Amino acid sequence: MNFSGIFIDDAGTPGVKSPSGFLPESRKSWCAVVIPSKVSSDVAAAMSIFTDSVKADYNAEELHFTNIYNGRGVWKSVSLLERIEFFDLMGS
């Protein structure tokens, strides 16, 4: 199988004290998505449409799903049901 891209992102804030006793200060997670070449152009087009629409409709420069879920920043006045739709869209 040929791969068009491997996209890696990190999560966590090492060194930052958490209010939760279950999250150590050293936590850090990495996540990767492998895009097969046969679907890469479709994925790129869909992501472009999605991010352009989010920017136009919500004035969001980036998609930080923790902010979307928690209703922070530009998402503050967006209903929870509408914010959850973003998770559904990204999952499909």
Side-chain angles (χ1 to χ4, degrees):
M1 178 180 288
N2 292 325
F3 298 107
S4 181
I6 300 173
F7 301 90
I8 301 173
D9 195 10
D10 64 322
T13 49
V16 175
K17 183 144 177 69
S18 169
S20 171
F22 300 102
L23 297 173
E25 291 181 21
S26 62
R27 72 191 182 282
K28 185 76 168 181
S29 300
W30 292 89
C31 179
V33 176
V34 179
I35 308 293
S37 58
K38 67 182 179 179
V39 296
S40 64
S41 61
D42 292 338
V43 170
M47 283 304 296
S48 251
I49 292 167
F50 181 69
T51 55
D52 290 348
S53 296
V54 169
K55 185 174 182 177
D57 294 346
Y58 300 96
N59 198 32
E61 295 292 328
E62 295 184 318
L63 293 173
H64 293 286
F65 278 81
T66 186
N67 291 342
I68 295 170
Y69 181 78
N70 289 302
R72 289 185 280 209
V74 300
W75 307 103
K76 188 174 184 175
S77 62
V78 180
S79 75
L80 176 60
L81 290 177
E82 190 174 347
R83 288 182 276 129
I84 288 174
E85 287 179 14
F86 286 96
F87 290 87
D88 289 340
L89 283 169
M90 291 300 292
S92 65

